[in-house]
Amino acid sequence: MSGVVPARRSTAVERVTGEAPAATPVPHPLQVALHGLCPRCGAKTLFAGITNFTDRCPACGLDIDVFNVGDGPAAFLTLIIGTIIMIGAVTLTLTLAPPIWVHLLIWTPITAVGIIGALRLAKGALISLEYRNAAREGQLKKPKP
């Protein structure tokens, strides 16, 4: 080791008060998922839209673009929530036999809200786990000659 300490970026608290803030613990993945917290500093800056991540955390500077959550959660959540909705729709049909417009009125918004809400939770939890475990893209080992 060279003994050189890498430079640390100053935070907003340091620039305003001149004091270093107390070390904040890394938030739990469930907290990140439920509240949209930054996986490093815990500020509510993870999402820029309903399910879109911000490019960088304005509070601590964490580059969120380097994490790759992918489209896996969307496919699984659509299948899982679709199954739950179908069970509810079939149960409603067998017990009350309402007209089709009642099904459209009930199940369309429940499906949309359920999938978008669950997608936000799943993406937040996955990015938190990716940060916490320092997960990176897999690499194949080169064979030795």
Side-chain angles (χ1 to χ4, degrees), residues 23 27 38-39 43 53 61 64 68 77 81 117 124 132 134 137 139 144:
C38 171
F53 293 120
I64 296 175
N68 182 16
L77 291 173
I81 292 174
R132 177 178 273 202
E137 191 171 326
Q139 298 176 357
K144 293 182 181 179

Side-chain angles (χ1 to χ4, degrees), residues 27-46:
H28 191 271
L30 186 60
Q31 293 172 320
V32 171
L34 289 174
H35 304 293
L37 305 178
C38 171
R40 180 193 289 165
C41 68
K44 287 190 173 187
T45 58
L46 185 61

Side-chain angles (χ1 to χ4, degrees), residues 10-138:
S10 63
T11 63
V13 173
E14 287 177 289
R15 288 190 296 269
V16 172
T17 64
E19 300 174 356
T24 58
V26 175
H28 191 271
L30 186 60
Q31 293 172 320
V32 171
L34 289 174
H35 304 293
L37 305 178
C38 171
R40 180 193 289 165
C41 68
K44 287 190 173 187
T45 58
L46 185 61
F47 291 102
I50 294 176
T51 59
N52 298 335
F53 293 120
T54 58
D55 296 333
R56 181 175 300 277
C57 175
C60 68
L62 177 66
D63 186 11
I64 296 175
D65 279 343
V66 299
F67 300 105
N68 182 16
V69 175
D71 294 331
F76 284 112
L77 291 173
T78 301
L79 291 172
I80 292 167
I81 292 174
T83 301
I84 294 169
I85 295 297
M86 283 306 301
I87 291 170
V90 168
T91 303
L92 183 65
T93 298
L94 294 177
T95 56
L96 300 176
I100 191 70
W101 65 267
V102 173
H103 283 289
L104 292 173
L105 191 67
I106 293 172
W107 302 114
T108 303
I110 290 176
T111 303
V113 168
I115 289 176
I116 291 170
L119 185 60
R120 185 176 168 100
L121 290 173
K123 287 176 79 171
L126 285 174
I127 204 165
S128 174
L129 291 170
E130 199 171 321
Y131 173 78
R132 177 178 273 202
N133 297 318
R136 299 291 177 251
E137 191 171 326

